[in-house]
Amino acid sequence: KIDIILDCDPGYDDAAAILLAAGNPNVNILAITVVAGNQSIAKVTRNALAIAQVAGLHDVPIAAGATRPLMIEPEVAAEIHGETGLDDATLPEEIVLKTDPRHAVQVIIDTVMSRPAGTVTLVPTGPLTNIALAARLEPRIVERVKEVVLMGGAVHTGNHGPYSEFNIGTDPEAADIVFKEKWKVVMVGLDLTYQARVSEEQVARIAAIPTASAKLLAEILTAFNVRYRRVRGFGDAPLHDPCAIACVLDPTVVRYVPVPISVELTGTRTRGMTVADFRRTAPEGCHTHAALELDLARFWDMMADAVSRLP
Ligand code: BDR
Ligand code: CA
């Protein structure tokens, strides 16, 4: 089994990522750590607990983390994810799961340091604040982590700004720390996630699966599609965050290539851009990678399979 820490800000697509990881038989979720992003830390933490409860993740530590970016003012994505972060999704009335008393950053450090070196994969699907703080507080995690497979950034486009993606653009300094550290980084960015469209056909397929988790996922996908159409003018919404989980599970579902990537911090129009240098073959030992191609049919098979195995 692949041991992961999922660092997220649920959010519709983060919720889908939790369900994919929870239901896939080859993943072991060591912890879910939460970061302010799509909504305030209080809201996204509550959502993480609710989704974990539906998915039956009763023994997984869930910890609240950074309340705001390192250097700049917080910015939420209410127009996409709603006031609650999961508007129009039916969550349990009573949330019985409790958060771990530790800060998320401490949970990341404790988990990585207590597991065998080279076994823990970090999967951030929100701003990189928690991950950057963990690397600064306990630098030894960098060589112990197997890889960091993050949803964020893009090679050629943006959604937060013309060239910046939301998770990078809302905390560029944290992203800069994470991309500069010498652990293996796989950037599952918009180039890839824009291929993961939520079609009506896939929503109907998920809705027909007779589990509570599938029903919830179908609601989430529907709400996400409605909002993406209204706010961004998309036909079918791109289901970003589960792509990072899919990449961890099977690098043939998400194909990636090594390429030097740095985060633009000072550009007047490009701050938060992930600058990938494709001018020549990546140098030996290049630690950053960009995901470029998705096997869409297998991606949806994975999503459907996961929620069919959950409560
Ligand atoms: C990213 O931004 C967030 O709104 C989504 O949850 C995803 O992680 C896509 O740019
Ligand atoms: Ca997210």
Side-chain angles (χ1 to χ4, degrees):
K1 283 208 178 191
I2 304 169
D3 289 330
I4 69 163
I5 298 174
L6 180 51
D7 186 76
C8 56
D9 61 337
Y12 295 119
D13 52 333
D14 300 83
I18 295 174
L19 294 172
L20 173 57
N24 187 286
N26 300 322
V27 178
N28 182 25
I29 307 178
L30 299 174
I32 297 175
T33 53
V34 185
V35 63
N38 285 324
Q39 263 299 351
S40 67
I41 193 70
K43 291 178 184 177
V44 293
T45 302
R46 189 173 182 280
N47 292 341
L49 292 170
I51 300 293
Q53 184 169 315
V54 174
L57 296 176
H58 295 289
D59 301 321
V60 175
I62 300 174
T67 57
R68 50 163 300 157
L70 295 184
M71 307 286 287
I72 56 178
E73 291 302 312
E75 188 189 326
V76 298
E79 73 288 3
I80 294 284
H81 300 270
E83 270 314 309
T84 64
L86 283 177
D87 278 14
D88 302 324
T90 315
L91 300 178
E93 264 164 38
E94 197 197 342
I95 297 177
V96 294
L97 293 191
K98 299 272 176 277
T99 49
D100 191 288
R102 294 168 293 172
H103 191 281
V105 172
Q106 196 59 51
V107 170
I108 294 170
I109 293 170
D110 290 350
T111 308
V112 172
M113 296 310 288
S114 66
R115 310 288 298 194
T119 61
V120 179
T121 296
L122 303 183
V123 190
T125 61
L128 291 161
T129 326
N130 284 343
I131 310 296
L133 287 168
R136 285 295 184 260
L137 187 58
E138 179 45 276
R140 289 178 296 169
I141 67 166
V142 173
E143 58 179 36
R144 288 184 79 86
V145 160
K146 183 178 174 202
E147 53 184 353
V148 181
V149 181
L150 64 94
M151 191 283 131
V155 174
H156 295 125
T157 187
N159 60 0
H160 175 256
Y163 288 102
S164 77
E165 180 280 331
F166 180 82
N167 291 338
I168 310 296
T170 52
D171 196 346
E173 281 75 20
D176 184 49
I177 291 173
V178 172
F179 277 81
K180 272 186 184 150
E181 289 294 347
K182 290 293 180 277
W183 44 22
K184 177 179 173 189
V185 174
V186 182
M187 177 177 86
V188 181
L190 298 177
D191 322 273
L192 186 290
T193 66
Y194 278 178
Q195 298 166 46
R197 296 305 175 104
V198 180
S199 65
E200 296 299 340
E201 185 195 338
Q202 294 301 344
V203 178
R205 173 189 183 186
I206 302 285
I209 298 169
T211 65
S213 298
K215 188 168 171 289
L216 177 58
L217 178 60
E219 271 184 18
I220 284 172
L221 298 175
T222 303
F224 198 45
N225 251 353
V226 167
R227 284 157 184 279
Y228 247 92
R229 281 182 194 142
R230 195 169 65 211
V231 178
R232 295 256 164 83
F234 275 64
D236 295 329
L239 195 60
H240 309 282
D241 294 337
C243 295
I245 304 286
C247 180
V248 171
L249 283 167
D250 185 346
T252 68
V253 172
V254 173
R255 193 185 63 83
Y256 59 84
V257 297
V259 60
I261 302 172
S262 53
V263 179
E264 173 63 88
L265 293 181
T266 52
T268 51
R269 291 181 179 77
T270 52
R271 187 170 139 82
M273 179 181 186
T274 41
V275 181
D277 187 351
F278 280 108
R279 285 174 298 174
R280 51 185 76 86
T281 310
E284 188 85 21
C286 175
H287 73 287
T288 52
H289 303 74
L292 298 176
E293 233 176 84
L294 176 71
D295 184 333
L296 184 61
R298 292 199 41 218
F299 172 76
W300 280 111
D301 287 350
M302 276 182 177
M303 288 297 315
D305 179 66
V307 288
S308 72
R309 291 168 189 268
L310 289 172

